[in-house]
Amino acid sequence: MSTFLGLPGLRRRVPDDGATAASAAEPWGAVPHPDEPLRWGESFPAAAKHTLKNEQLRKNLGHATRTIRGKRAAVVDEVPDWEALRDTGSAVKEQVMAQLPDLLAQLEENVTARGGVVHWARDAAEANRIVTEIAQAKGADEVVKVKSMATQEIGLNEHLADEGIAAIETDLAELIVQLADDMPSHILVPAIHRNRAEIRDIFLARMGDAPPDLSDVPRELAMAARAHLRRKFLSAKVAVSGANFGVADTGTLAVVESEGNGRMCLTLPETLVTVMGIEKLIPTYTDLEVFLQLLPRSSTGERMNPYTSLWTGVTPGDGPQEFHLVLLDNGRTDVLADEVGRSALHCIRCSACLNVCPVYERVGGHAYGSVYPGPIGAILTPQLTAASGGVSGADDVNASLPYASTLCGACYDVCPVKIDIPSILVDLRAREVDADRGKHKVDPWRAAMKAASWVMSDGGRFGLAGRAATLGHGLGGRDGVISKAPPPASAWTRDRDLPAPPDETFRQWMAEHEHGEQDGGER
C-alpha cells in the first residue's frame, strides 16, 4: 500500500488497459477516487446492480437509517410549530435565490471590513488553485480539514495531494473513509456503509498509532482517532473548512458539528480557508434562529448541535489571524437560472431525504456516482453538471439519476426547507427524454407507448389484451413472480421481478359474478 505523509495513497479509477488494477484492488476502498467528483463513471442502474448484491452493505444501511429516522421523528414531534419553521426556512431560501447577487456583494463587503479576504471561484479548478496557493504561501505540507461537502465536490483533497500537500480529515467518519482509501456514501455520515468491526479493522491496518488490542467498542474507536488527530491539530498551520451558513448582513460564517474537531480546526491554526457554495447564504443574523432549529433535528436527530461555531473575519490575538473565504459557483448560477430546478439550491445538507429513501437504503450512496447521493443528489448532480451533459440525454451517466426514485414523496415530507424533490425529478426525466428524441431511428419506448395507446383506446382491444396476458400465469414461480422473461420483457426482469398475471382478468371475473347473480345464487 502506498502512503502519503502517513495516509493511504489515492486509488484512481482503473483505466481500460488495466494498468493499475493491482493498486486498485487493495482492500477496504470500495470505490476508487474518481477524476470527476460529480461523475464517477458508471450509470446508476449499472452501479446499483453491484451494490444490491452486497448483503452486509444493505444490513449496515438499514440499521443506520432506521436509527436516524427514529431519532429525528422523536425530536421533531417535540416542536409544535415545526411546519411553520419549515415554511419560514423555505421562504428565507426563496428570498436568497431572488436576491443572491446583492447578498453576495453584502457578504463580501462585511467579511472584508472585518479583516477577511474573499475569493471568487467560477469552478472547481479555480477553487482548488486558490486553496493550494494559500497553503503553499504558508509553507504548509499538510492541512487539517473540517467535514465539507463543497471541498469533496471540487476534489480538493486529491488536488492537494497532487501538489504535495496532505489534507487530513478530522471528522471521525471522514477519517474512516480516508484511511480506507474509499469514497463517502452519505452526506452527513460518510462511512455509513461500514460497521464497527470493519472500522476497527481499518484502524488496525491503516492507522499506524492504533492500539494493537483495539476493539470495536465505539468509545475505544473514537479515543483511538482522537489520539491520532491530536498532534495534527496542534501542529497544523492551515485549516480548511466548509460552511453551513454565511450571514450576509454581518459577514459571519457558521459551522455546526458534533465532535469538537471543527472547533479545533477553526481556532488553532494560524490560517483558515473556508470554501462555501454561493447558495449557503442567509440574509440576516436572526435567520440563524430558524435554521439552527431545523438543521440538527433533521440531520442527527438532536435538539441542537453540540458544537456551533460562529466567526466573523479576524480577531487580533484570538483564533486564526488570517481568514480566506472562497465563494464557489461550479454550476450553481446555471441551476439558479432554472425556474423549476433552482429550489435544489435551497438544500442545507441535512441528509434527511437520504434516511427515508427506500432506494438509497437498498443501494447505498456509491451507486449514485457522485459526492451527492440520495434524492437530493438525484436532482442536484445532473443540474450542476448540465453544462457538460448532465441532463442532455442517455449518453451521460448523470442523466440516469432522476430515475433513481420511486417518487413516493417521503423526501419532500421530511425536507426542512420543503424542496419538492419529486416534482423536480419528474421535470428532469422529461428533459432527458426530450434530449434523446430523434437520436434513434427506432425509439423502442416511443413505439411501446404508441402500441399501448392503441390498445387502451378501445375497450374490445383492451379486453383481448387482458385475456392474452393471463396465458403468462403459468410462468410465475411459487412466489408468484416472473424473475426471468424473454425480450422485450427481459428489460424489466433484469433489474426487478415481474408479478405473474392472474389466471383470469377482472372483466372475466365480473362477467361470471354477474351471471351467477342472475341465476339467483351467490358464489
Side-chain angles (χ1 to χ4, degrees):
M1 178 193 71
S2 61
T3 60
F4 179 74
L5 295 180
L7 292 175
L10 302 177
R11 284 180 309 135
R12 298 292 185 178
R13 185 165 295 281
V14 182
D16 293 338
D17 60 10
T20 59
S23 62
E26 291 180 0
W28 310 125
V31 179
H33 291 259
D35 293 326
E36 295 184 66
L38 295 177
R39 193 183 276 111
W40 292 2
E42 281 191 311
S43 66
F44 178 84
K49 193 175 296 185
H50 300 306
T51 57
L52 276 171
K53 298 175 183 177
N54 189 333
E55 293 186 8
Q56 184 62 57
L57 170 69
R58 294 169 66 177
K59 183 178 179 181
N60 295 349
L61 288 170
H63 173 73
T65 53
R66 282 193 301 272
T67 301
I68 299 172
R69 284 199 303 269
K71 292 177 62 179
R72 176 199 170 275
V75 295
V76 164
D77 288 344
E78 297 173 350
V79 184
D81 60 345
W82 179 253
E83 289 305 313
L85 279 172
R86 292 180 72 207
D87 289 335
T88 303
S90 178
V92 170
K93 282 297 186 178
E94 289 281 1
Q95 179 187 354
V96 170
M97 297 303 111
Q99 302 174 357
L100 189 57
D102 293 337
L103 291 173
L104 285 169
Q106 185 182 18
L107 177 70
E108 180 184 31
E109 179 182 353
N110 286 317
V111 169
T112 303
R114 289 161 176 79
V117 180
V118 177
H119 309 262
W120 298 82
R122 284 172 290 191
D123 53 28
E126 283 195 3
N128 286 332
R129 176 182 56 78
I130 292 167
V131 177
T132 301
E133 289 178 354
I134 294 170
Q136 289 173 337
K138 297 300 171 184
D141 60 3
E142 66 180 24
V143 300
V144 288
K145 286 186 72 237
V146 187
K147 183 182 183 315
S148 164
M149 294 304 300
T151 58
Q152 289 178 6
E153 176 188 329
I154 63 177
L156 178 63
N157 289 12
E158 292 81 358
H159 180 82
L160 288 173
D162 290 341
E163 297 295 327
I165 301 171
I168 312 297
E169 294 289 356
T170 64
D171 174 85
L172 177 57
E174 289 286 4
L175 177 64
I176 293 165
V177 170
Q178 186 174 48
L179 288 173
D181 196 18
D182 203 351
M183 290 295 288
S185 64
H186 191 278
I187 289 176
L188 185 71
V189 194
I192 196 172
H193 56 291
R194 301 289 189 184
N195 61 31
R196 294 184 308 179
E198 290 174 309
I199 294 168
R200 177 202 58 205
D201 293 343
I202 290 168
F203 278 12
L204 289 173
R206 295 291 179 88
M207 197 161 69
D209 51 3
D213 59 346
L214 182 66
S215 75
D216 64 356
V217 175
R219 175 175 172 78
E220 289 192 26
L221 295 172
M223 294 303 292
R226 179 183 183 185
H228 175 73
L229 292 170
R230 181 55 59 94
R231 64 184 181 87
K232 300 295 184 181
F233 288 132
L234 296 176
S235 63
K237 298 178 181 179
V238 178
V240 178
S241 81
N244 293 102
F245 308 104
V247 183
D249 73 343
T250 62
T252 301
L253 281 298
V255 164
V256 297
E257 39 107 11
S258 301
E259 300 173 15
N261 64 297
R263 182 71 55 83
M264 302 281 275
C265 290
L266 297 170
T267 54
L268 292 178
E270 301 170 359
T271 301
L272 173 62
V273 184
T274 297
V275 181
M276 185 183 85
I278 56 175
E279 83 283 11
K280 289 298 191 73
L281 279 176
I282 56 176
T284 69
Y285 196 85
T286 56
D287 291 325
L288 283 172
E289 176 190 355
V290 174
F291 290 99
L292 291 181
Q293 293 182 75
L294 289 171
L295 181 56
R297 284 177 166 83
S298 298
S299 57
T300 55
E302 297 172 297
R303 296 178 182 87
M304 64 180 293
N305 291 98
Y307 294 90
T308 299
S309 300
L310 307 173
W311 71 98
T312 307
V314 174
T315 301
D318 183 13
Q321 297 302 289
E322 190 172 325
F323 171 55
H324 297 263
L325 174 61
V326 182
L327 293 173
L328 177 68
D329 185 334
N330 205 37
R332 286 163 174 78
T333 52
D334 292 334
V335 182
L336 181 63
D338 189 308
E339 292 185 1
V340 176
R342 70 174 56 147
S343 62
L345 296 178
H346 296 185
C347 177
I348 59 175
R349 307 293 191 267
C350 70
S351 73
C353 61
L354 281 72
N355 300 327
V356 299
C357 178
V359 176
Y360 174 85
E361 184 175 337
R362 284 155 181 79
V363 303
H366 290 156
Y368 293 81
S370 167
V371 297
Y372 295 117
I376 189 61
I379 64 171
L380 186 59
T381 298
Q383 293 190 89
L384 289 176
T385 58
S388 56
V391 289
S392 65
D395 292 340
D396 191 286
V397 293
N398 285 345
S400 67
L401 286 175
Y403 295 92
S405 171
T406 64
L407 300 179
C408 66
C411 49
Y412 173 73
D413 293 338
V414 299
C415 177
V417 290
K418 288 193 166 182
I419 301 172
D420 190 355
I421 293 177
S423 293
I424 300 175
L425 287 169
V426 172
D427 182 72
L428 291 175
R429 291 181 184 187
R431 291 190 223 175
E432 190 271 333
V433 171
D434 289 341
D436 270 349
R437 292 190 196 280
K439 287 187 176 181
H440 310 285
K441 291 182 179 180
V442 178
D443 187 336
W445 284 110
R446 193 172 184 182
M449 290 302 102
K450 281 188 174 182
S453 175
W454 180 78
V455 170
M456 294 180 182
S457 63
D458 179 83
R461 290 194 291 264
F462 187 71
L464 182 62
R467 289 194 296 274
T470 62
L471 298 176
H473 176 72
L475 298 177
R478 292 182 179 179
D479 55 358
V481 298
I482 302 172
S483 57
K484 290 184 179 181
S490 58
W492 178 275
T493 57
R494 274 200 304 265
D495 301 309
R496 52 183 74 81
D497 290 331
L498 179 67
D503 56 1
E504 67 176 348
T505 68
F506 175 76
R507 290 186 177 197
Q508 289 173 319
W509 176 89
M510 192 67 182
E512 293 176 11
H513 185 75
E514 290 179 341
H515 181 72
E517 287 185 344
Q518 290 172 2
D519 290 342
E522 287 228 1
R523 299 182 55 187

